[in-house]
Amino acid sequence: MSPTAPKDMFGKEIKEGDAYFVVNDKAVHIDSVEDYFIEVLGATVHERKKPLTAGTVNGNDKSHQ
């Protein structure tokens, strides 16, 4: 029986060569970062509809100031 790969706090296997970080002694696979932000930190996901351009802050054109 081969050893199984350790898992992060969301159940994602961490295989040799995978990137992960540790928070409060718990591993978080790099592919689970979005889950961590949402489930642990309470973040919300937003989708930008317009492309960002120079002089744009939060969707407001500040180039005239």
Side-chain angles (χ1 to χ4, degrees):
M1 184 173 189
S2 63
T4 58
K7 295 183 179 182
D8 77 353
M9 63 190 305
F10 299 102
K12 175 90 174 162
E13 284 190 353
I14 301 173
K15 300 175 185 162
E16 186 174 336
D18 284 355
Y20 67 95
F21 63 97
V22 177
V23 179
N24 296 328
D25 295 326
K26 294 181 181 176
V28 180
H29 192 282
I30 196 72
D31 291 344
S32 298
V33 170
E34 184 176 354
D35 293 332
Y36 179 80
F37 286 152
I38 295 168
E39 295 180 30
V40 177
L41 300 180
T44 56
V45 177
H46 301 271
E47 184 176 316
R48 179 101 180 130
K49 301 293 184 197
K50 296 178 184 177
L52 291 173
T53 58
T56 302
V57 178
N58 295 327
N60 299 319
D61 184 3
K62 302 291 185 186
S63 59
H64 63 282
Q65 296 180 351

